[in-house]
Amino acid sequence: MNLVLLGGPGAGKGTQAEFLIKDFGMLHISTGDLLREAVAAGTEQGKLAKSYMDAGNLVPDEVIIGIMKEKFQENDISNGLILDGFPRTTAQAEALDDMFEELNTQVDLAILIDTPDNVIIERICSRRMCKSCGAIGSVLGVENPEEYVCPKCGGEMYQRDDDNEETVRNRITVYKENTAPLTDFYKAQGKLKKVNGAKVSNGKKNALAVYEDVKSLINA
Ligand code: AMP
């Protein structure tokens, strides 16, 4: 199955992808992760992308589509894909359909992780990433955030350059203008399903509770 995860910044796409990889073993492609790797490696692509990313703007479509084309050529995608953060514009969604057609495959399902803006802002400002294993964590409710280590591997955690309130407000605006219209794109293809990304279970917002809904859509 080829699955597209849709949703604003901090909606939980990366976290849900982590659960899906464990259960279904599909190949996970996150354009955000690929761009951050390119920035860290200091490649030309990374240098170009960094100014857009730091401001919370979209990297130009032709750069992103080029990266995805390479990814699809380099990898065996026959066991299915989780696309996280791509497509983000209608032009990218159309290019994805074209690339998939050439590969005799298609998008099977697009899941919108619907999360209110106030939850997104709180989540992003407290989000931390692991330097060693890339896991996503949060210092929300943590007494000593400076001492917070990776819950998975004990590695050192860092805050993404674009995970601050000013940038996240722009990322939300950019999402609403450019990416939210993709829900209509996939609805028109009969492929859109939605989950509540701020689902509460036992009085707490719970990513595993969201995952139960994601899984039931995949197994439907
Ligand atoms: P993410 O990790 O998905 O939140 O992406 C981080 C940043 O990378 C975004 O704010 C954009 O600047 C850039 N980015 C990631 N994916 C795309 C995409 N499909 N199209 C354009 N820019 C992207």
Side-chain angles (χ1 to χ4, degrees):
M1 166 182 281
N2 295 318
L3 172 66
V4 169
L5 293 177
L6 292 173
K13 300 184 296 293
T15 301
Q16 295 304 316
E18 282 181 6
F19 294 139
L20 286 164
I21 296 162
K22 256 200 213 146
D23 277 353
F24 296 94
M26 294 132 96
L27 179 67
H28 172 218
I29 303 180
S30 152
T31 38
D33 286 350
L34 293 174
L35 291 169
R36 278 182 289 280
E37 280 165 25
V39 171
T43 65
E44 284 309 309
Q45 232 166 27
K47 282 180 200 152
L48 172 77
K50 187 166 170 34
S51 59
Y52 293 96
M53 295 170 79
D54 284 350
N57 292 324
L58 294 181
V59 173
D61 283 336
E62 58 274 19
V63 176
I64 298 290
I65 292 165
I67 290 175
M68 293 307 283
K69 214 172 243 172
E70 267 174 37
K71 256 329 224 195
F72 294 157
Q73 277 162 3
E74 284 167 5
N75 290 278
D76 176 11
I77 64 164
S78 58
N79 289 326
L81 285 174
I82 305 165
L83 297 178
D84 159 7
F86 176 87
R88 252 177 163 100
T89 62
T90 305
Q92 291 180 19
E94 286 167 351
L96 175 62
D97 279 354
D98 291 346
M99 288 188 278
F100 271 177
E101 198 180 325
E102 272 184 33
L103 295 163
N104 282 321
T105 189
Q106 60 169 9
V107 171
D108 297 296
L109 181 62
I111 298 183
L112 170 65
I113 307 175
D114 196 23
T115 312
D117 293 356
N118 61 327
V119 174
I120 285 180
I121 291 167
E122 179 185 64
R123 244 186 224 172
I124 288 215
C125 292
S126 55
R127 178 162 70 180
R128 299 292 183 273
M129 317 290 288
C130 178
K131 278 190 179 170
S132 307
C133 74
I136 303 162
S138 171
V139 292
L140 201 66
V142 170
E143 225 168 88
N144 293 314
E146 316 75 46
E147 290 168 21
Y148 179 65
V149 292
C150 176
K152 283 207 175 133
C153 74
E156 193 185 333
M157 300 299 271
Y158 74 99
Q159 186 167 28
R160 276 170 48 174
D161 289 343
D162 57 347
D163 277 357
N164 58 72
E165 185 162 347
E166 189 192 342
T167 307
V168 81
R169 286 194 187 275
N170 186 44
R171 284 157 72 196
I172 290 172
T173 305
V174 167
Y175 170 76
K176 286 182 180 163
E177 279 172 10
N178 298 278
T179 312
L182 289 185
T183 54
D184 287 336
F185 181 91
Y186 287 113
K187 202 189 273 173
Q189 294 188 356
K191 292 174 180 170
L192 184 76
K193 297 273 162 61
K194 188 160 114 175
V195 296
N196 173 8
K199 194 172 175 191
V200 172
S201 139
N202 296 326
K204 275 172 61 181
K205 287 188 205 80
N206 187 328
L208 269 172
V210 178
Y211 183 55
E212 287 309 311
D213 293 346
V214 168
K215 214 162 46 172
S216 67
L217 292 177
I218 289 176
N219 291 327

